[in-house]
Amino acid sequence: IRRPLEELNRASVALSKGDLTVRVPITSNDEVALIAHSFNEMVEIWETSCWRAKQATLHLVNVSTSMFETAIQLEANAVS
């Protein structure tokens, strides 16, 4: 039981440092394996949520840039 808990602790430390790729190996069918499975699912959900947030941020940057460029063009045309 000690080694699987050490693996879970190692993965928790890695996650706390921002590593969303960390997973805990599941090598049994006991209670520790159930916790490891839940940990892996949780990290996967976080990883997906972070990816979606990043994609939304990139989209907003692109839209903002496009709006800014359009405003600059409209201003230049108004001055001409």
Side-chain angles (χ1 to χ4, degrees), residues 21-40:
T21 64
V22 68
R23 299 295 186 272
V24 178
I26 300 172
T27 58
S28 64
N29 289 324
D30 59 6
E31 292 83 1
V32 176
L34 181 62
I35 293 170
H37 179 73
S38 295
F39 178 89
N40 290 342

Side-chain angles (χ1 to χ4, degrees), residues 3-78:
R3 184 168 182 207
L5 291 177
E6 287 173 347
E7 292 273 348
L8 188 56
N9 183 59
R10 177 196 55 76
S12 297
V13 169
L15 178 62
S16 74
K17 293 179 180 179
D19 183 358
L20 295 176
T21 64
V22 68
R23 299 295 186 272
V24 178
I26 300 172
T27 58
S28 64
N29 289 324
D30 59 6
E31 292 83 1
V32 176
L34 181 62
I35 293 170
H37 179 73
S38 295
F39 178 89
N40 290 342
E41 284 185 342
M42 176 184 66
V43 175
E44 185 140 342
I45 288 167
W46 283 354
E47 185 178 29
T48 300
S49 294
C50 286
W51 181 84
R52 286 180 179 160
K54 183 178 180 180
Q55 294 304 309
T57 300
L58 291 173
H59 177 71
L60 287 173
V61 167
N62 290 336
V63 168
S64 297
T65 300
S66 177
M67 290 174 67
F68 178 75
E69 290 171 351
T70 300
I72 295 294
Q73 288 174 350
L74 289 172
E75 184 179 357
N77 291 340

